[in-house]
Structure formats: C-alpha cells, structure tokens
Amino acid sequence: MANTHALFSEALLLLGGAVLAAPIFKRLGLGTILGYLAAGLVIGPILNYIRDGEEILGVAELGIVFLLFLIGLELQPSRLWQMRREIFGLGSLQVVATGITLAALALLLGVEGWQAALIIGFGLALSSTAFALQILDEKGETNTRYGQRSFSLLLFQDLAIVPLLALIPLLAKQAPEDTTTAFQDFLVAIAAILSMLAIGRYVLNPLFQIIARTGAREAMIAAALFVVLGSATLLQYAGLSMAMGAFLAGVLLSESSYRHELEADIEPFRGILLALFFMAVGLSLDIDVVFRNYQIILIAVPALMLVKAIVIYLICRLGHSPHNDAVRVALLLLQGGEFGFVLFTAASAAGIFSSAVASLLVVIVTVSMALTPIASLLSRYLMTEDAREEIEEDFEGAGSDVLMIGFSRFGQIASQILLASGRDVTVIDYSADRIRQAASFGFRIYFGDGTRKEVLRTAGIERAKIVAVCTHKADITDKIVDLVQSEYPNARVFVRSYDRIHTLSLRARGVDFEVRETLESGLLFGRKALEELGMSDEEALAITNDIRRRDEARLALQAAEGLAAGRDMLHSRPVRPVRPEPLIKPRHTEQVEEDEDEGGIGALAAGQPTAD
C-alpha cells in the first residue's frame, strides 16, 4: 500500500507540473518541451520531491517509441521518393558535416574517446523539429521556399536518429557474459528485420481489416498499441533499439488504408509519454554538474549555435538557396533538438560516457532551444536584399486540396469529377468492406472515423481547401459539420444532404454548399420520362428547371416560416373519382425505408416536406 501511495503521489506531482509548466512556457513562446524540462527540474533536483528520475525515464522512453512510430507513418515510400533530393541529398550532407565538425570540436575540448565524441557531435547536429515547425507555423511560413527546405532537413534528422540509436550498442563495450560474436548479432538483427517486413506485408493489413469490420474501437486501439510495442520489443530482443522497431513498423504501415486511424489512436499516448520523458530528463539532471561547469556551458552554447548556423548556411547555398532563405534556415535550425536528449540518455546508459556528461549536454541543448526564438528574430538583420518571399500553396506530400469524408455511391461519383480535373483528393471512410472493395478497383482510401478531430487533423484537414462531407447518415453528417465548423472555422464545407429537413438544417448551420443526394437524379429521371412520352427536349428541360426553381423558392419559405410553408408550389395529381380498392397487406418496413431513402413520393404526395 505504501508503494502504491508513493506511485500515486508521484504521478499526481508530474501531472500537476505538466499542467502548470506547459501553458506558461507556451505563452512565453518557449514551447512546451522546455516547460516539461523545467517542471521536472523543479520537482526533482531543486525541491527533491521525486528522487527516482532514472526509473521514470526508463518507462517514459516509450514516448520516443511512439513518436518514431508516428514519424514512420508519415514517411510513405512514394513521398520519400518525391522529396529524395532535398531529404537525402542536403539532409544527409547537413547531418554528416555538422556531426563531424562538432565531434572534432568535442575532441579538441577534451572529450575522452572518439566514440563519445561521435555521439556528442551527431547528437548536437540534430535540431528541434518541435521548435522549428512551431515557429514556422506561427509565422505562417511553412509553405515558403525556406520553410520547405527546413522541413526537408528536419525530416532527414528525424530519420537519422534511427541509425544513431542502432549505433550505440556497437560503440558500447560488449558485456563479458555475451557469448555471441558481432557477426552472429548482425545475423539475428537482419532476421528480426526480415520477420518484421514479412509480418507487415502479410499480417498487419488483414488484421486491421478484421478488427475494423467488428466496429470495436477499443480493439483497434489495443491492436495499434500491440503493433508498436510488439515491433519495438522484437528488435530490442534482436539487439537493436525499441525506437528502431517502432519506426520500421510505422514505415510498413505508411501506405496502409488504416494509417490515419492508427495515427489518431496513438497520438494521445505519444503526447503524454513524451511529456513524461522530457520531465524525466529534467528529474535526472545533476544540478551540481551544471554549477561546476557553468563556464563550459556559457562557451559551448554559443559555439554550438554558431557552428550549426554556418554549416547549415553553406549547405543551403550549395543547394542553390538564395542568401535570404539560407539565413532563415540557418537561424531556424541552429539549436540542439529533443532527439539529442534521447541519444545522450541512451549513450549514458550504455556506458559510452558518464551521466554527468549527459546532464551537461542536456543543459547545453536546453539553453540553445530556449534561445531559438531570439535567434530566429535576428534573421531580418542579416538579409542583404529586400526580396519578397515566394509562397507556394502546396508542396509535395503536404496534403490534398479536397478532404472527402465518406465514399459511398455519392462520394464515388463526386470524386470522379475532382480526380478527372487533376485534383488530389484524400478520402476517409469508416467501412472496412468499402475500403477493400475500393482497393479492388484501384481507389486508395483511408480507414478513419470522420467524427474524430484527431482523424481529420492527421488526414490533412488543415491543408485542405474544401472539406466534402459525403456520409449517408444525417446524424453522422451533422456531427462532422459541427466539428469542422467549431475546430476549423476557415474550412469551406460542402455537404451531401439526406433530405429536405436535413437541407434546411445544414443551411441554418451556414455550410458553404449542400445538395440533396436524390434531387438532381430525380429531376433527370423525370425529364427523361417526359421525353420518352413524346415531349420535346426543350419543353422537358424547361419543366425541369421550373421544378428546380420552385423547390429552391419553397426551401427559402420553409427556412423563414416553417416546414408547412410553400405547399401551394407543389404539383399534385389531377382530382379524379376515388375507386374502391381491395385491402393490400402493408409492405415490409425495410422496403418502405428503402423507398424513403431513395426519395420516395409517399411523403410528398401526403404534403410532408421531408421527401425530395
């Protein structure tokens, strides 16, 4: 009971620290990561409320595992191929050049062992993806030329953490009790990777398809967690890192139709565990080391930022970036990054250097991150010409012009128009069977629940010009419309309406465009019937247009005066003598519902306003 009470108290302290520190640091423009570090520092080394920071750090490293899984999900092979020159050309050159330069500098400053210098150099070569993207987003410059180049460099840095983590066991001294040779360890690692590739190719997609058919949302979440932790554990047993296993699992699922749903399910776990990780880094900091080495910190931080800025500037110029763009990129990415914490912590645990050195490095990275907003503001003073930045609306892999939610009959037809014009359309649907059927015809749609904000966000709603809601149930459509309008008020919403009442409801919500699913098809059907009965094409078209105008005028009246308004605008059958008819057994309820769904005439003839 005492241990349970202590665990509960520690969890309460950490959550309270996160709740207080994250908003404050976010408000100050320093980012939530520094807030979590500061909270851990206050709770642990300063106030000594929690003393087992190393144990918490071991659990919190799962946040890095989930983060790398999500990074893998974003890296579809097709997208990597499109951006290959920016990512693998300039990105690899930046990491290698900066890493070697900083490693040489570390050796000159007295770091013992080339292994330690190598990890320090390459760890400091990685910039903060969270900080850089936050600054770009706040300035609205994500889609500028320099924003795209910064994104490419950051993307390769995120990829580079995987081989760097895999390098640590090779640089660490082999344990005496390890009876296997390095070649045997290599074969085991290759076998584990090949096993993961086979499982991802033949097992994972069918597994998610089966779970999706059941509609059990908690089972889908459990399956997502199982895949991440299972792949991480498999590669850990093979002598590689858990992070590398999760990353490979993400890449294997990056082309899956269930990618957006998986990302939305994992995101909350990733967020809370990453927060715990950065707080645990703060808990494990050695304050005495900081005070003893404050002179080194005062020298190392500006040296790190200056070296990175110069190398990144030269590489951008080598990649034909204008001077202004190169300056912006250099001053945006000159800090250390959150992956440095991961690398230094893992290296310290492997014995490559001491925990005191790891604490010193974490402080250097933290201070450089805190100075990033100031350094970014300095870029305007280093520009030599007042050139207007060219902004591109979209860049490769950033998302689609249209986000379509629902891919039943209506959505399939509408998507053909969009695709025929060359527009890119991202389609999400919650039916596993529909996804499978669409794939058999060459369509690529994603599994996802459109009523969830995180699914819409991961599907690219923030970059979409139009959100097309094509779901066939009115209540689901209303939930999606309300969610989009509340969370993304600038999105243009086009909606498939179920019936007349639904049309009035959507118009009251202020959607940009709505159309009843059976209106135009019913008008066309009636027009063709008139032509077959001998009426000229011009007359039939005129009647059709008149009905369309009457319908629109009636909708306007009903919106103002209620559903009973505008009945005089309806055409009814000529009055004829009523002939007695035998009683007929009522049709099955399902048949009636089907007729109503297809726009049956029963309600209209009775004067009800719900039919089309």
Side-chain angles (χ1 to χ4, degrees), residues 586-610:
R587 293 176 298 166
H588 195 277
T589 304
E590 292 181 359
Q591 182 63 39
V592 175
E593 291 177 351
E594 181 181 348
D595 287 348
E596 291 175 351
D597 182 55
E598 295 298 330
I601 198 65
L604 182 61
Q608 297 298 325
T610 57

Short mmCIF file of all heavy atoms in Angstrom, two decimals, residues 586-610:
data_model
loop_
_atom_site.label_atom_id
_atom_site.label_comp_id
_atom_site.label_asym_id
_atom_site.label_seq_id
_atom_site.Cartn_x
_atom_site.Cartn_y
_atom_site.Cartn_z
N PRO A 586 -49.66 -4.48 -45.91
CA PRO A 586 -48.59 -3.47 -45.94
C PRO A 586 -47.25 -4.10 -46.28
O PRO A 586 -46.95 -5.23 -45.90
CB PRO A 586 -48.58 -2.92 -44.48
CG PRO A 586 -49.94 -3.25 -43.95
CD PRO A 586 -50.35 -4.53 -44.61
N ARG A 587 -46.46 -3.33 -46.99
CA ARG A 587 -45.13 -3.82 -47.34
C ARG A 587 -44.24 -3.88 -46.11
O ARG A 587 -44.48 -3.24 -45.10
CB ARG A 587 -44.48 -2.88 -48.38
CG ARG A 587 -45.18 -2.90 -49.71
CD ARG A 587 -44.56 -1.88 -50.64
NE ARG A 587 -44.72 -0.52 -50.09
CZ ARG A 587 -44.05 0.53 -50.53
NH1 ARG A 587 -43.18 0.38 -51.50
NH2 ARG A 587 -44.25 1.71 -50.00
N HIS A 588 -43.15 -4.63 -46.26
CA HIS A 588 -42.19 -4.77 -45.16
C HIS A 588 -41.56 -3.42 -44.85
O HIS A 588 -41.33 -2.61 -45.73
CB HIS A 588 -41.10 -5.78 -45.56
CG HIS A 588 -40.29 -6.26 -44.39
ND1 HIS A 588 -39.24 -5.55 -43.89
CD2 HIS A 588 -40.43 -7.37 -43.63
CE1 HIS A 588 -38.72 -6.21 -42.87
NE2 HIS A 588 -39.41 -7.31 -42.69
N THR A 589 -41.30 -3.21 -43.57
CA THR A 589 -40.76 -1.91 -43.15
C THR A 589 -39.47 -1.56 -43.87
O THR A 589 -39.23 -0.41 -44.23
CB THR A 589 -40.51 -1.94 -41.62
OG1 THR A 589 -41.72 -2.29 -40.97
CG2 THR A 589 -40.02 -0.57 -41.14
N GLU A 590 -38.61 -2.56 -44.10
CA GLU A 590 -37.33 -2.28 -44.75
C GLU A 590 -37.54 -1.74 -46.15
O GLU A 590 -36.81 -0.88 -46.62
CB GLU A 590 -36.46 -3.55 -44.78
CG GLU A 590 -35.99 -3.99 -43.41
CD GLU A 590 -35.12 -5.23 -43.52
OE1 GLU A 590 -34.94 -5.72 -44.65
OE2 GLU A 590 -34.64 -5.70 -42.48
N GLN A 591 -38.61 -2.25 -46.86
CA GLN A 591 -38.87 -1.76 -48.21
C GLN A 591 -39.31 -0.31 -48.18
O GLN A 591 -38.94 0.50 -49.02
CB GLN A 591 -39.92 -2.64 -48.89
CG GLN A 591 -40.24 -2.22 -50.33
CD GLN A 591 -39.02 -2.36 -51.23
OE1 GLN A 591 -38.27 -3.31 -51.09
NE2 GLN A 591 -38.82 -1.39 -52.11
N VAL A 592 -40.15 0.03 -47.18
CA VAL A 592 -40.59 1.41 -47.05
C VAL A 592 -39.40 2.32 -46.79
O VAL A 592 -39.26 3.38 -47.39
CB VAL A 592 -41.63 1.53 -45.91
CG1 VAL A 592 -42.00 2.99 -45.69
CG2 VAL A 592 -42.88 0.71 -46.24
N GLU A 593 -38.52 1.91 -45.89
CA GLU A 593 -37.34 2.71 -45.59
C GLU A 593 -36.47 2.89 -46.81
O GLU A 593 -35.89 3.94 -47.05
CB GLU A 593 -36.54 2.07 -44.45
CG GLU A 593 -37.27 2.15 -43.11
CD GLU A 593 -36.50 1.45 -42.03
OE1 GLU A 593 -35.52 0.77 -42.37
OE2 GLU A 593 -36.88 1.56 -40.85
N GLU A 594 -36.39 1.82 -47.62
CA GLU A 594 -35.58 1.93 -48.83
C GLU A 594 -36.15 2.95 -49.78
O GLU A 594 -35.44 3.75 -50.38
CB GLU A 594 -35.48 0.55 -49.50
CG GLU A 594 -34.62 0.57 -50.77
CD GLU A 594 -34.57 -0.78 -51.43
OE1 GLU A 594 -34.99 -1.78 -50.79
OE2 GLU A 594 -34.12 -0.83 -52.58
N ASP A 595 -37.50 2.95 -49.93
CA ASP A 595 -38.13 3.91 -50.81
C ASP A 595 -37.89 5.34 -50.31
O ASP A 595 -37.62 6.25 -51.08
CB ASP A 595 -39.64 3.65 -50.91
CG ASP A 595 -39.94 2.39 -51.73
OD1 ASP A 595 -39.01 1.91 -52.38
OD2 ASP A 595 -41.10 1.91 -51.69
N GLU A 596 -38.00 5.52 -49.00
CA GLU A 596 -37.78 6.85 -48.46
C GLU A 596 -36.35 7.29 -48.66
O GLU A 596 -36.07 8.44 -48.96
CB GLU A 596 -38.14 6.86 -46.97
CG GLU A 596 -39.64 6.71 -46.73
CD GLU A 596 -39.93 6.60 -45.24
OE1 GLU A 596 -38.98 6.48 -44.47
OE2 GLU A 596 -41.11 6.62 -44.86
N ASP A 597 -35.41 6.35 -48.52
CA ASP A 597 -34.00 6.67 -48.70
C ASP A 597 -33.72 7.08 -50.14
O ASP A 597 -32.85 7.89 -50.41
CB ASP A 597 -33.14 5.47 -48.32
CG ASP A 597 -31.66 5.78 -48.44
OD1 ASP A 597 -31.22 6.77 -47.82
OD2 ASP A 597 -30.97 5.06 -49.17
N GLU A 598 -34.48 6.51 -51.08
CA GLU A 598 -34.28 6.83 -52.49
C GLU A 598 -35.13 8.02 -52.93
O GLU A 598 -35.24 8.31 -54.11
CB GLU A 598 -34.62 5.61 -53.35
CG GLU A 598 -33.69 4.44 -53.13
CD GLU A 598 -32.25 4.78 -53.49
OE1 GLU A 598 -32.04 5.63 -54.39
OE2 GLU A 598 -31.34 4.24 -52.87
N GLY A 599 -35.79 8.69 -51.98
CA GLY A 599 -36.58 9.86 -52.35
C GLY A 599 -37.98 9.48 -52.79
O GLY A 599 -38.50 10.00 -53.77
N GLY A 600 -38.64 8.51 -52.08
CA GLY A 600 -39.97 8.05 -52.44
C GLY A 600 -40.99 9.17 -52.44
O GLY A 600 -40.85 10.18 -51.76
N ILE A 601 -42.06 8.98 -53.19
CA ILE A 601 -43.04 10.05 -53.40
C ILE A 601 -44.12 10.06 -52.34
O ILE A 601 -44.92 10.99 -52.27
CB ILE A 601 -43.69 9.90 -54.80
CG1 ILE A 601 -44.37 11.21 -55.23
CG2 ILE A 601 -44.71 8.76 -54.80
CD1 ILE A 601 -43.43 12.34 -55.43
N GLY A 602 -44.14 9.02 -51.46
CA GLY A 602 -45.24 8.89 -50.50
C GLY A 602 -45.42 10.11 -49.63
O GLY A 602 -46.51 10.67 -49.50
N ALA A 603 -44.32 10.57 -49.00
CA ALA A 603 -44.42 11.71 -48.09
C ALA A 603 -44.76 12.98 -48.84
O ALA A 603 -45.49 13.85 -48.35
CB ALA A 603 -43.10 11.89 -47.33
N LEU A 604 -44.25 13.13 -50.08
CA LEU A 604 -44.52 14.33 -50.85
C LEU A 604 -45.99 14.41 -51.22
O LEU A 604 -46.62 15.47 -51.13
CB LEU A 604 -43.66 14.34 -52.11
CG LEU A 604 -43.80 15.56 -53.02
CD1 LEU A 604 -43.41 16.82 -52.26
CD2 LEU A 604 -42.96 15.40 -54.27
N ALA A 605 -46.58 13.27 -51.65
CA ALA A 605 -48.00 13.27 -52.03
C ALA A 605 -48.88 13.57 -50.84
O ALA A 605 -49.96 14.14 -50.97
CB ALA A 605 -48.38 11.92 -52.63
N ALA A 606 -48.41 13.21 -49.65
CA ALA A 606 -49.19 13.47 -48.44
C ALA A 606 -48.99 14.89 -47.92
O ALA A 606 -49.53 15.26 -46.89
CB ALA A 606 -48.82 12.47 -47.35
N GLY A 607 -48.15 15.65 -48.64
CA GLY A 607 -47.92 17.03 -48.23
C GLY A 607 -46.80 17.19 -47.23
O GLY A 607 -46.60 18.26 -46.68
N GLN A 608 -46.05 16.09 -46.94
CA GLN A 608 -44.95 16.18 -45.99
C GLN A 608 -43.74 16.78 -46.70
O GLN A 608 -43.46 16.49 -47.84
CB GLN A 608 -44.59 14.78 -45.45
CG GLN A 608 -45.71 14.14 -44.66
CD GLN A 608 -46.07 14.94 -43.43
OE1 GLN A 608 -45.21 15.53 -42.83
NE2 GLN A 608 -47.33 14.96 -43.08
N PRO A 609 -42.95 17.60 -45.99
CA PRO A 609 -41.84 18.30 -46.62
C PRO A 609 -40.54 17.53 -46.61
O PRO A 609 -39.51 18.07 -46.97
CB PRO A 609 -41.71 19.56 -45.76
CG PRO A 609 -42.13 19.12 -44.41
CD PRO A 609 -43.21 18.07 -44.62
N THR A 610 -40.53 16.27 -46.15
CA THR A 610 -39.26 15.58 -45.98
C THR A 610 -38.77 14.91 -47.23
O THR A 610 -37.62 14.54 -47.33
CB THR A 610 -39.37 14.52 -44.87
OG1 THR A 610 -40.42 13.62 -45.22
CG2 THR A 610 -39.66 15.17 -43.55
#
